[in-house]
Structures are given as C-alpha cells and as structure tokens.
Amino acid sequence: MLTQNIRNFCGAFVLAMAAMFMLSAFAPEANASEPTAATSAAAAPATATAPAAAAAAPANPAAPAAKAVVFPPAPKLTASDYPTIPGVNSRVAIWLVAQLHLWFGAFVVAVPMFVFIIEVIGMATRDERYDNMAYEFIKVSITAYSLTAILGGLLAFCMILFYPDLFKYMALIFKGSMWAYALLFFAESAVLYMYYYGWHWLQGGNRKWVHLTLGLLLNAVGLQLMFLANAWTTFMMSPAAVDAAGVFNGDTWAAIHNFLWNPINIHRVVANVAYGGSVVGAYAAFKFLSAQKKEERAHYDWMGYNANFIAIAALLPLPFAGYYLTAEMYAYSQQMGITLMGGVFAWIFIIQAVLIGALFLSANYYLWCGMGRSEGAYRYNPRIKYIAFVLVIAFLVWFTPHTLVLTNSELKDLGGPYHKYLGVLGIMPAKNTAVNYLLVFTFLSFMFYRRANKIATVSWASAGNAAQIALFTAGLINITILGVYHGYFTNTVYKVAASVPQVLTTLVIIIISVVIDAFMYKGAKDVAPLHWGRMPPRSQYALFLLAVSFTWLMGLMGYVRSGIRQHWHISNIFRDGSPDAFTPGLGYVASVVSVGTIMFMAMVIFVFWLSTISGRHVVAKGYWKEQQA
Amino acid sequence: MSATPKRVIPRLLQMVLVIAGAYFSFILLFDVLLGQLIPKSLLTMYMVFVVAGVVMVFTFTEEGAQELAGPIKALVEDPSRKMVRNVVFVIVPLLAGYYTYSSMLPSFEAPVELRTIHPAPPNKFKAYGKSYNLATLENPYRKFEKEDPAKFKALVKEGGDVYIKNCQYCHGDKLDGKGPYASGLNPTPLNFQDVGTIAQLQESFLFWRIATGGPGLPAEAAPWISSMPVWQEFLTEDEIWKVILFLYNYTGRQPRSWSHE
C-alpha cells in the first residue's frame, strides 16, 4: 500500500515537473501574444527614462492593433536615473549580495550532484557509511539552501532598487524564463525537502530507488535553475538577437542561447562540484577538529578524505573548462579577450594563478599527510619531494606574468617590459603545459596514496609498474612537445587547439593508470588496517585552505566575468550611466572580494555550527512539570 | 614504523638551507648566467611558493614536523637555552624593525608600475575619415599569401620599405625594439620578435594601434604612456596594411585568427 502511494505520488510529481518544463518551452509564444508594456508598465519605476517610456508606448495594451511585440531600445541613462540611498554604495551592495548568492547557490547546486553519486555507491556496495555520509552532506546543504534563497531575494530586491531600468529591460526580454525560474524554484524546494526528510523513510528495496529518483530529479531541477540564471548573466556579456540600439528582436530561447551561455554552463557545473567538495571538506575538518572521540575523528577523517577526493576530481578538468570559456570570450570579442588576458584584468589572472596554486598545493599536502594513516606509506615518502619539486616548478611557470611589475631601474636593465627568458613563460602555451604537469603529478600523489597500504600480488606487477612509468613518461613528453611546438612555432589557431590534445593526454594517463591499478591491485594484500583519524591537525587546515582559496578565487573571477563589460550594463548596447561606471582599481577589487569571502566563511561556519547543535540534546532536569502516567 | 635516523644537519637547518639555495639559484641563473635580472616582484612571488613547497615536504609526516619544530620548541621552552633565547628575541624584533624602516623609507625611485601593454581595443574606431569595425576588419592583402604568392612577396617588400623609412628608428631594423631612438624612450618600443606581442594579436588590432597611435588609446585605464605617432597622418591605409604584412613575414609569426585556413 505504502509502495503504491509512493509510486502514485512520484508519478504525479514527475508529471507536474514535466508540465513546468513544458511551460518554459511555451514562453516564446507567450511573449508574442502578450502586450509587452502590460508587465513593464506595472514594473516600471518612477525613474523610468523618457526614451524607454516612449519606445514602450506602441506596445501599450491600450492600442488595439498592437499584436506583435515591439521591444523598446536600451535606455540611455544618466546618473540621476539611478536611485540612491545615502551611505550605501549601490555597486558594492549589489556586488556583495550577488556574490554571496552565487557562492551559496554554487554550493547547493553542487552538493546534490555528489550526494547522488555517493548514495549510488552506497547502494551498489551496500556500505551504509556512504549513505550516512551522503545524508550528512545534504544536511549541511539544507541550511545553506535557505540562505541561498534569502540572498537571491535580496539580490532581486537590490536590482529593482538600485538598477530599475536595467532590471526592467532584462525582465522584458527574459520574462518567459523568469517565470519558469520561479516555478522551478518551488520544484527545487519541494524535491529537496522530500529528498532530505524522506531519507530515512525511503530506505531499502524499491524505496531506495524512489529516493534515488528524487535525487536525480533534484539535480535536474537544480541545473535547470542554474542554466536559466546563467542565461541572464551571459546575455549581459554577449547579447543575442538585439540590434545596435538594443531593440530585442528574437524570442526567449534566442536570448538564452547566447554566445557565452554554454561555455559558462560547462564551466560552472564543473567548478561547482569542485567548490562543493571543498566546502564539505571544510565541514569535515571542522567536525574533525572539534571531535572528542576517536570514532568521531575516524568518521570525519574519512569524510574529509572523500570530500577532498571530490574536489580534486572536479578540479582536474576545471582549468580546461576555464580555458574554453576564455577562448570563447576572445572569439566573441577581441576587446574582451585582450582586456582579460593582456589588459588591466590580466593582473587578476596572476592572482588567480596564485590561488589555484594554493588549491593544488593544499590538496596535495592533504594527500601526503593522509599517507600517515597507512603503515605502508613509508615506501613512498622519499618520492614526495620530487612531486613537490615538479609542482612548485609548474606553479612558477603557471603564474609568471607576461608583462612584469618592474621598478624603473629594472625596466632599464631589462631594456623593456618583457623578460627575454621569462617572457615566454607568460603566455598561454606555457601555462597550459604547466597546468597539465600539475594535474598529472597531483594524480601521481593520489596514486601513491592509494597504493600506500597495499602490496600487489599479481605476477605481472613489475610489468604493470613499468607500463605505467612508460605511460607517464610518454604522456609528459607529448604534453611538452605539444606545448612548445604548437605554442611557439605555429599560429594561434594551432596554439589554442593544442590545448585539447594536451588535456586528452593527461586524461589518457589518468584513465589507463586507473585501469592498470584496478587490475594490478585486485586481491592485493593490505599492509595493515588503515588508521582513519590518524591525521595531524595541520592537514585539516589544508582542507580549510582549500575551501577559502576556492571561495576567494570564485569571488575574484566572478568580478572579472562581470567587470569585463566595463562601462556597459549589457555589452555594447546598454551603457552604464551610473556614477560607478568605471573599472575599479585592483586593490579595491581585492578588498571587496576579501570582505565578501570573510562574510561567506562566517556564514558557512554558522551553518556548520547549526549542524552541530542540531544533534545535541540537553536533558533539563526539574525544568518540565512531571506528567502523570 | 621505522626509527628516525640521526641527522648530520638538523632538519630545521636543512629547510633553511634549501630555501636559501633556491633563492640564490634564481639570482645566479638570471642575474649572472643569463644576464637578465629577475625582477624583485617576481622573485618574491617565486619564493612564496618555494617556501610553501619546502615547508610542505618537511612537515607532511608527523616525525618530520616534530623534528622540524623540535629546535624551535626547545628554544622557547628549554631552560638551558636562556642565553640563545634572549639573543634571538632581541635579534628578531630588530630585524623586523629594520625591514619596516627600510620599506617605509622615502625613496626617489618612481613607484612600481602595472603597465598594460596590450590595451583593450574599442569595437569601432575612426581613421581616414571613416569608421572601422575591429571585429570584422581584415587585412585586404592577406588573401594573396595563398592566392598569389608572388604578389604577396611584392607587397611584403613594399611593406618592408615603409617600415625601414618610418618605423625602424624606434622598433629596430631587426624588429626587436632596439632602434636608434629606442634608448631615449621609456617604455621602450615593442619588440615584435617576442612571441608575446604581434603573434598574440589580430591584424585589425595592429591596424588600429598604428593608425591611431598613442593618442588613439582608449579612455579606459588611462593615462597611457606611448610615444607611438598617429600614423594615419603620415601613411596611407594601404601602406599600413602592407607594413603589417611585413611585420608578420619578417618575424615568421602568424596573426591571431580563428580559422584553420
């Protein structure tokens, strides 16, 4: 009976979801039949500019002949068109709120992805520890979900308050998808709560399948939400279906499917998983450091290991997703590309490189410390220094700027702003080569960690090791040749294209090594039982560093993505007329992002703390009136 | 678990020596052997990561971390080391004070500059009395590279003549930025042989920079420092396109493009 009810309920829910998806598909038609100004007039603030109002007039429902939608041109605003609140900097306010919303949003979209995978692993292996861990992860994201929603509301409020004309213009174009977004948000909330609160109820047999289906649905809705929001953001960077005056002449899909939409979608999906992994890693570290019992420490150590694994696994393809996005931005606009990589924003990429360095180093350090859990790790300890050497050298290449920061005397000595020898390390082929080395050697750290406690028993173990050494050597040679030859001796088409075989080489090394290891260590002997919990506190701070670096990095690159529009609200069609229509100095940017990072980390620690107190139960003796039996 | 071997050099000293070794290796390699100094800002960044990497290697095992921290703990806690402790506790604040004093000391040196070499181009610009769209602008002579190599060669030669008559005084006859006037300019003229200059750019970008020169640089991120003349006042449009052909041809570079053809 219960199973039947669940099936009915799920069936109804799936139908409801399908209906919601269909709704967004109908949105363009809805646009075509609705008089545009009906909504815009309702939403139009008192500050709407004359040209915008005049342009919107033909579409007024009062005119009976106005069937087709006539979109207004982008308004030409002056500083007086932007409402202000004394003592509040509009740009900083919206910047911080948007960034905080994005941090939490990224976290709550990412967590269900790996929670689903962990739940599947638990189901397949029948190892309840995975199920418990997945539940604990989703528990953390529940509180974060509320904060995401609150900050999202605050962001919309700030947009309407401080940038009403921009909001109105965007809402006119995207009203179909904004409507779908609101519905999807309800769906997301419903599925998330069912997924979380039904966790212990939907256990075993078919119930577990129902729960997994909910998890899948949760991810589908979450990603849809993110893709829709990405469309608004990328439309502001690469507007589609608009003429030079900003008159929109397409349908909602044309606006959504703008030039940079898919590159951002891919980049954000991968980055969110890495980010989510790092934040739950920080949660595990928080719990590990505050644990009183040995068993608790062992549990949270294991959780931290898995979180770090998730973060690293997603971090591996991330540089390529980022490179793809940037290459697409360059292809879309030479102006954007040069401002990003050669102009004023190039310095932020140097800071980005340093932060990515911190990410890789802390992830590797955590793995090396983790080898202390095993008695067999001593065999591998002497090799760690060589991995560290390669990692550090690769980082030095990774963040060497093309244009150096020079004192006057250095400038004279060098004879120009470019260094004869270090200059070649400043351009992308060197960076791509370096980052592939970083990934391969980070994977090597992981391989050592995995092997530390095992002794292969297959007869072909030596041959397997030799094959892996050959694979690594050949792969690294290939990466180097691709980087040096195509990077410096061919034209830019091949230079950019060479990054693809480079990353494929890295992936081949990783995949084949994993396959060889899987067979070679099948039935391997354990050196001794793993000592979960035998980790120094400094390893846990490495997990914190991972989360903080990720947060800071996202904030910084979020600014770059948004700031690249410079003095435009919407690139080249809708000019920013506010007093803040200038690109702020790098120090100012760093300060705002740092304040945002501190605010976010404070809120995250609050979320962690909430999860701690939710499990506490105090027996208040003598407080409650005794009930008669 | 193996016993910790007795070391000849204490681990802390080993770490300090490795870091110092890395620092002096950079100086030796760049300043002495290669003859191109390593800028202070870059060396600082390099050393931050070298120190991080070295500390990580020395502390990833529990024994290693304890051995490293041992002398520091002993310095602070061991009663028999009172004299050394007092000396260290005097020297360290003095060094910090000296560093602060040196950093704050007024200097006549111009402040360090974050100069942007490649300014972001506008979408459109005006020259020769008309408007050019940089996104679609192409070198009209580039097509002859494949269609008519002999004609292309002649165009390159014409571009070379224009270069020698007008550009080499600053950018050099080898296009390496070392022309006769170069030493009088700060910043020095661009070295086109560098893989990070014209090879990174589309021809339309070069056309914009040559035609409008220093005064045509965008208002964003101003003030700019550039001695580049406004060449549209001295050269024809054709001459600029030909000189661009020459720049790429002589250096053996290809302009940035998005097609494989």
Side-chain angles (χ1 to χ4, degrees), chain A residues 334-335 339 343 365 378 388 399-400 402 405 408 410-411 413 415-416 418-420 491-493 495 538 567 572, chain B residues 36-37 40-41 46 57 59 65 109 112 116-117 120-121 123 186 188 196 199-200 205 220 254 256-257 259-260:
Chain A
Q334 182 185 199
Q335 185 184 33
T339 309
Y365 187 64
Y378 292 93
F399 67 68
T400 299
H402 186 223
V405 180
N408 253 1
E410 287 171 339
L411 190 69
D413 280 351
Y418 294 128
H419 197 283
K420 196 172 166 186
N491 71 31
T492 46
V493 177
K495 184 169 72 184
R538 59 182 177 278
H567 49 281
N572 299 312
Chain B
Q36 279 255 302
L37 61 83
K40 197 178 159 196
S41 61
Y46 278 7
V57 169
T59 61
E109 175 112 34
V112 177
T116 300
I117 303 298
N123 270 359
N186 185 12
T188 49
Q200 300 285 320
F205 184 96
E220 292 83 25
Q254 285 291 319
R256 179 181 279 269
S257 71
S259 68
H260 287 264

Side-chain angles (χ1 to χ4, degrees), chain A residues 31-49:
Chain A
N31 278 349
S33 58
E34 279 174 30
T36 313
T39 43
S40 66
T47 51
T49 53

Side-chain angles (χ1 to χ4, degrees), chain A residues 119-469:
Chain A
E119 195 184 357
V120 170
I121 293 170
M123 191 180 170
T125 58
R126 293 288 193 272
D127 186 341
E128 200 181 4
R129 289 180 310 157
Y130 286 101
D131 205 63
N132 292 338
M133 180 168 66
Y135 177 72
E136 198 157 354
F137 283 160
I138 204 79
K139 190 170 94 176
V140 179
S141 83
I142 281 281
T143 323
Y145 185 74
S146 310
L147 286 167
T148 311
I150 294 165
L151 288 161
L154 196 58
L155 175 60
F157 180 69
C158 285
M159 279 292 288
I160 295 165
L161 186 67
F162 294 121
Y163 297 90
D165 293 293
L166 171 64
F167 188 80
K168 180 185 153 193
Y169 182 81
M170 290 289 286
L172 272 176
I173 294 171
F174 283 103
K175 62 174 185 284
S177 69
M178 283 182 175
W179 168 239
Y181 187 85
L183 289 175
L184 281 170
F185 203 85
F186 277 110
E188 168 91 349
S189 307
V191 185
L192 176 64
Y193 290 135
M194 281 195 290
Y195 187 62
Y196 172 66
Y197 289 108
W199 196 288
H200 299 302
W201 175 48
L202 294 170
Q203 283 285 346
N206 286 338
R207 289 180 174 217
K208 196 66 185 165
W209 279 106
V210 172
H211 193 258
L212 273 180
T213 310
L214 282 174
L216 199 61
L217 206 57
L218 178 63
N219 279 301
V221 180
L223 285 174
Q224 287 267 339
L225 273 169
M226 188 182 75
F227 293 158
L228 282 182
N230 287 351
W232 309 334
T233 314
T234 50
F235 180 84
M236 292 170 74
M237 300 167 74
S238 56
V242 279
D243 64 17
V247 177
F248 183 65
N249 50 30
D251 57 20
T252 309
W253 175 243
I256 290 174
H257 193 237
N258 59 68
F259 196 87
L260 295 174
W261 186 52
N262 275 327
I264 281 255
N265 286 340
I266 293 168
H267 185 60
R268 281 191 169 169
V269 168
V270 180
N272 285 357
V273 176
Y275 183 57
S278 78
V279 175
V280 291
Y283 168 76
F286 175 84
K287 298 289 271 188
F288 178 93
L289 291 170
S290 54
Q292 302 292 326
K293 296 176 192 161
K294 199 177 167 189
E295 300 77 44
E296 269 183 56
R297 263 203 301 280
H299 172 69
Y300 289 112
D301 181 22
W302 182 70
M303 187 185 261
Y305 162 75
N306 281 289
N308 187 52
F309 175 80
I310 293 162
I312 294 179
L315 193 59
L316 295 181
L318 195 52
F320 308 106
Y323 186 60
Y324 167 59
L325 170 62
T326 314
E328 289 295 301
M329 283 166 83
Y330 209 138
Y332 173 72
S333 160
Q334 182 185 199
Q335 185 184 33
M336 272 190 191
I338 292 177
T339 309
L340 276 177
M341 305 307 290
V344 69
F345 285 81
W347 297 103
I348 297 183
F349 278 84
I350 298 300
I351 305 173
Q352 178 220 29
V354 173
L355 285 170
I356 290 177
L359 285 181
F360 273 101
L361 285 184
S362 50
N364 274 281
Y365 187 64
Y366 181 79
L367 283 173
W368 301 341
C369 288
M371 288 167 79
R373 297 181 188 115
S374 159
E375 304 298 351
Y378 292 93
R379 294 172 294 160
Y380 291 99
N381 283 350
R383 299 177 196 178
I384 296 299
K385 56 180 170 289
Y386 302 114
I387 294 183
F389 179 77
V390 176
L391 288 177
V392 169
I393 294 292
F395 279 129
L396 302 191
V397 174
W398 173 246
F399 67 68
T400 299
H402 186 223
T403 308
L404 299 166
V405 180
L406 301 170
T407 61
N408 253 1
S409 61
E410 287 171 339
L411 190 69
K412 272 183 195 161
D413 280 351
L414 290 176
Y418 294 128
H419 197 283
K420 196 172 166 186
Y421 302 104
L422 291 169
V424 291
L425 304 182
I427 57 174
M428 281 316 291
K431 315 288 185 203
N432 283 337
T433 307
V435 85
N436 278 286
Y437 268 76
L438 283 177
L439 297 176
V440 169
F441 279 83
T442 299
F443 174 70
L444 193 61
S445 286
F446 181 68
M447 265 181 77
F448 283 172
Y449 172 80
R450 297 280 294 173
R451 287 176 167 205
N453 201 44
K454 292 186 185 300
I455 296 170
T457 51
V458 291
S459 58
W460 51 275
S462 303
N465 279 328
Q468 281 179 323
I469 291 170

